[in-house]
Amino acid sequence: ITYNEPLTQNSFLSLQYRISYEDELKDQQAFYTDASFDPASQKINQQMTSKYESGYWKHRVGPGFRYAKDRNTIVANVFYQYSELEGKIAGGQNDDISKKFHNFIYFGMINYAFNKENSIRVFLRSSTNSPSVTQLQSIFDVSNPQYLSIGNKDLDPSFSHNFNFHYIHSNIEKGRTFMWMFSASNQQNYISSSTLYCPTGFALTQFGDMKDVPLNSKGEPYTPQRITSYENLDGYWSLRTHISLGLPLS
């Protein structure tokens, strides 16, 4: 929903509201079987069987400004974003996920033509990436008994800042073109995986209470060699540039 209010012949103020919803469902089943692989002999493996469903609501509201005249355009928007993630995991282990996130995000764009031959375009935007249900779950995923994974309920959404710059020079009469593109991005609270390795196997009790530790078919706790979880990290940068020159051959 967008409401526009003209300020002058070439400029406008706006108020915007956006809403989105994402639904996810996963149903994973695992079974024990004997050497004959007879379906009649199969027994469900409760520890490796899991089902989860999640709903993710995102609300955005905020003001904006737009100026447009001839080939020149300026756009600026600021949004308050409220996100809510609700999820439920059922199986050999159970867990409920309920997280609420608050962020401010922005978008800016400048398209300016110095003359018929030279122009620049600048983009500045931010975005968020919320952790998934599996990244937040506080139970072990035992799909692979030797390489278990567990979520981190304290994860925060990652926040990205992106800058893009385009310069274009075009001489139609001489058939020459020159283009330079530069982009930079930075992520705060980047969601990364963290892996611990022990060749003799981990005692899972050090990662949670006994009631949370999954058991194998013999009723014994798993002793995986590798455990993977997730963490928020800072200092993620990406820089890119591209130069293109076009000249006639004759």
Side-chain angles (χ1 to χ4, degrees):
I1 299 175
T2 302
Y3 172 76
N4 292 311
E5 180 68 27
L7 296 178
T8 66
Q9 183 179 358
N10 304 111
S11 60
F12 301 85
L13 277 179
S14 65
L15 181 63
Q16 303 178 50
Y17 171 72
R18 302 177 184 178
I19 183 172
S20 63
Y21 177 75
E22 297 178 13
D23 182 72
E24 185 177 3
L25 174 65
K26 177 182 177 182
D27 192 353
Q28 174 180 290
Q29 294 184 331
F31 299 87
Y32 293 114
T33 185
D34 56 22
S36 66
F37 294 98
D38 183 1
S41 67
Q42 292 181 348
K43 296 181 180 179
I44 192 166
N45 182 336
Q46 294 291 348
Q47 296 295 336
M48 292 188 180
T49 294
S50 65
K51 177 180 180 180
Y52 78 77
E53 54 184 337
S54 65
Y56 182 53
W57 287 97
K58 184 184 293 184
H59 303 264
R60 291 182 182 178
V61 61
F65 172 79
R66 179 181 179 87
Y67 172 85
K69 184 178 181 181
D70 300 327
R71 296 172 58 193
N72 304 320
T73 305
I74 298 175
V75 178
N77 295 294
V78 178
F79 295 100
Y80 163 71
Q81 178 176 284
Y82 169 76
S83 307
E84 185 174 2
L85 176 65
E86 298 285 345
K88 182 176 180 62
I89 301 174
Q93 306 171 85
N94 299 289
D95 197 15
D96 292 322
I97 304 295
S98 179
K99 299 286 284 188
K100 297 177 175 60
F101 308 110
H102 304 268
N103 298 99
F104 284 95
I105 59 176
Y106 56 84
F107 172 83
M109 188 269 287
I110 298 176
N111 188 27
Y112 184 75
F114 297 97
N115 48 49
K116 293 182 178 181
E117 296 182 352
N118 300 278
S119 64
I120 62 170
R121 179 174 295 179
V122 179
F123 289 93
L124 183 64
R125 61 169 66 90
S126 66
S127 61
T128 62
N129 182 27
S130 298
S132 65
V133 169
T134 53
Q135 291 173 328
L136 290 169
Q137 67 183 12
S138 57
I139 61 176
F140 288 98
D141 180 353
V142 293
S143 301
N144 186 333
Q146 290 302 314
Y147 304 98
L148 303 194
S149 64
I150 186 172
N152 179 357
K153 63 181 180 181
D154 297 322
L155 283 178
D156 292 321
S158 63
F159 193 91
S160 301
H161 306 268
N162 299 279
F163 173 79
N164 293 274
F165 175 85
H166 296 176
Y167 168 73
I168 300 176
H169 169 78
S170 178
N171 189 320
I172 299 177
E173 295 179 355
K174 296 183 179 180
R176 295 184 305 186
T177 60
F178 174 79
M179 181 172 59
W180 175 41
M181 294 185 293
F182 173 78
S183 66
S185 64
N186 168 252
Q187 288 195 44
Q188 298 171 310
N189 289 327
Y190 174 72
I191 299 176
S192 175
S193 60
S194 172
T195 301
L196 301 176
Y197 177 75
C198 178
T200 58
F202 285 99
L204 297 186
T205 51
Q206 61 184 299
F207 296 93
D209 299 331
M210 280 301 297
K211 63 182 179 63
D212 298 321
V213 174
L215 306 177
N216 59 24
S217 59
K218 298 180 181 179
E220 301 172 344
Y222 286 96
T223 55
Q225 294 180 331
R226 184 180 299 172
I227 294 180
T228 298
S229 189
Y230 304 91
E231 295 181 6
N232 287 121
L233 300 176
D234 286 325
Y236 180 92
W237 282 90
S238 175
L239 301 175
R240 296 181 181 181
T241 189
H242 173 78
I243 296 177
S244 175
L245 176 65
L247 298 172
L249 296 178
S250 60

